[in-house]
Structure formats: C-alpha cells, structure tokens
C-alpha cells in the first residue's frame, strides 16, 4: 500500500487481480457489480483501521473473558450518485449498522464541472464520520464538491473511498481537502480529453447498471 499521510493506494494483490477483471471490457454487468462490491469490502479493511473498539464480556465454550467488539462507530456512507451506489453493498456487508446519505451530481460534458441535482443526508451529522463513495476519482471536481457539501453539515471527520483514481484527481482532491483521507484501489496513468481515467475501466455507472 502506498501511504502518503492521507492518501492510501492499495497495491494489494487481491485488489489488483479484481481490478484487472473490472478493467476487461468483456466482463459482464453482473460480474462487474459483484467485483465492485468485493473490492469495496477489501478496501474497508484498510479504511476502517481506526474504528473504535470496546470490550464486551463473552463466554466461550471454555471460559469467560473480555473481548473487542466494534464500539459505537457513528458512520455515514455517502455514495455519489449514481456510480457510488455500486459500492454500498460492499460497505454494508462490512458495517451493516452504518447509515447512508445520498448526493447526486452529474458532470457537464462541455465544462466537465459537477452540477448538483439531489442531496439527502441523515439529519444528525455532527459528531459522525462521513465516508464519501465514488468508484472513479477522475478530475476530482465531483469529489471536491461532494465533500464541500458534506462538510457544511459539520461531521467529525470525512474520508473518501474510490476504486480507481487519476493522478490529477488525487492532486486536486488532496489540495482542496488536505484533511480528508483518500483511499483508492489503484492510481492510473492519466485522464483523456473527456475526463475518463486511462487506462481505467470505462464508465463505471454504465457498467454497474448496464446502461451503455
Ligand atoms: N467516471 C467514470 O465512470 N469513468 C471514468 O473513467 C471517469 C469518470
């Protein structure tokens, strides 16, 4: 894993293998969805390393002792619509009591700027940890705006999780939000003139929902 304080790129063999399958244009929608979930679950392992634990008394078949259990972690996952929805199954399998907000942006294909069209977060966000989810950190514009929006709700902390990033996206996001930890499966070479990651995996939303 490459770790630059707040930027974690998971160079883990399991993740790289699944990313290779995701990149293959012949991977079916069903397989693609499943793989996005699996990679997200694996990324939870690293991104949730700082979760609080508390002790509980448990009777094993042999004796009674104190053991660690997840404490009252006040987590809100916020997928950026629509591709971020593909990551929900993976995070909910790992942390089923977390709450979920939604943020909707689309990218203006001419200006490449994000335009907000929907937002719904739990009413209580102060003291919570918000994890913004978007599989593709391309120009960084959507992630920056999404994080600007969740920060207005005064959460305790904000993290960002993506499956693939571009160097430009990481640079822009870490500059705009130096306090936000960025977790990504891999960082690719470049962006093309349409803001797609190269070599990338194409349009994540279309491949998750079968809309291409
Ligand atoms: N969004 C995608 O779905 N793919 C990219 O490569 C960039 C942004």
């Amino acid at each position: 894993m490459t770790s630059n304080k707040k930027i974690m790129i998971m160079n883990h063999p399991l993740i790289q293998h699944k990313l290779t399958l995701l990149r293959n244009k012949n991977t079916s929608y069903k397989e693609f969805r499943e793989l996005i979930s699996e990679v997200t679950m694996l990324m939870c392992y690293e991104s949730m390393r700082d979760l609080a634990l508390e002790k509980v008394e448990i009777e094993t078949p042999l004796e009674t002792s104190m053991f660690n259990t997840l404490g009252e972690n006040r987590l809100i996952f916020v997928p950026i619509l629509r591709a971020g929805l593909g990551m929900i199954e993976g995070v909910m399998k790992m942390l089923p009591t977390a709450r979920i907000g939604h943020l909707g942006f689309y990218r203006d294909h001419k200006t490449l700027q994000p335009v907000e069209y929907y937002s719904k977060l739990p009413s209580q966000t102060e003291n919570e940890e918000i994890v913004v989810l978007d599989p593709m950190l391309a120009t960084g514009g959507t992630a920056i705006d999404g994080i600007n929006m969740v920060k207005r709700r005064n959460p305790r902390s904000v993290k960002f999780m993506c499956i693939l990033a571009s160097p430009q996206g990481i640079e822009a996001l870490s500059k705009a939000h130096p306090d936000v930890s960025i977790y990504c499966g891999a960082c690719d070479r470049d962006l093309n003139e349409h803001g797609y990651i190269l070599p990338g995996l194409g349009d994540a939303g279309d491949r998750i929902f079968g809309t291409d």
Side-chain angles (χ1 to χ4, degrees):
M1 191 178 68
T2 301
S3 174
N4 177 4
K5 270 202 207 152
K6 295 263 175 191
I7 303 164
M8 272 138 268
I9 299 168
M10 327 256 162
N11 291 317
H12 192 286
L14 285 177
I15 294 185
Q16 288 189 48
H17 173 74
K18 288 178 192 298
L19 284 178
T20 299
L21 299 172
L22 280 168
R23 294 176 188 282
N24 187 336
K25 67 177 188 177
N26 295 319
T27 295
S28 70
Y29 302 129
K30 172 180 179 292
E31 244 185 307
F32 191 89
R33 251 176 246 139
E34 289 166 356
L35 286 161
I36 290 274
S37 260
E38 289 168 12
V39 173
T40 307
M41 276 195 272
L42 292 169
M43 289 178 65
C44 268
Y45 181 78
E46 198 53 50
S47 59
M48 297 295 139
R49 196 175 269 283
D50 57 354
L51 283 184
L53 290 171
E54 56 189 41
K55 296 282 185 196
V56 284
E57 188 179 85
I58 294 289
E59 238 180 287
T60 77
L62 300 176
E63 58 180 82
T64 299
S65 191
M66 300 300 285
F67 295 99
N68 287 326
T69 185
L70 283 177
E72 199 197 351
N73 289 289
R74 309 190 58 93
L75 279 170
I76 302 175
F77 288 104
V78 179
I80 297 185
L81 304 179
R82 84 192 144 126
L85 291 174
M87 298 172 76
I88 282 296
E89 184 184 73
V91 292
M92 292 316 281
K93 274 192 178 151
M94 294 293 100
L95 293 147
T97 58
R99 288 175 298 153
I100 301 176
H102 291 87
L103 283 184
F105 290 97
Y106 66 84
R107 203 155 37 134
D108 185 303
H109 279 289
K110 285 206 182 99
T111 63
L112 299 185
Q113 289 308 302
V115 182
E116 179 193 328
Y117 65 86
Y118 184 76
S119 125
K120 182 81 183 168
L121 297 179
S123 53
Q124 180 64 43
T125 49
E126 283 164 25
N127 302 319
E128 318 290 293
E129 174 167 334
I130 292 188
V131 186
V132 176
L133 307 171
D134 191 346
M136 308 300 276
L137 177 60
T139 61
T142 309
I144 291 168
D145 279 26
I147 292 169
N148 279 336
M149 181 180 296
V150 299
K151 277 186 172 175
R152 276 183 233 134
R153 304 288 300 274
N154 296 319
R156 178 161 47 90
S157 67
V158 181
K159 291 176 177 172
F160 179 80
M161 271 175 76
C162 62
I163 305 278
L164 270 193
S166 70
Q168 296 90 329
I170 289 181
E171 166 91 24
L173 180 54
S174 50
K175 205 162 162 194
H177 293 291
D179 54 316
V180 170
S181 296
I182 304 170
Y183 300 88
C184 51
C187 180
D188 276 8
R189 191 185 75 246
D190 206 352
L191 286 178
N192 72 9
E193 67 277 21
H194 304 293
Y196 279 84
I197 295 174
L198 297 173
L201 48 73
D203 189 302
D206 281 346
R207 296 195 65 192
I208 290 166
F209 296 108
T211 48
D212 63 353

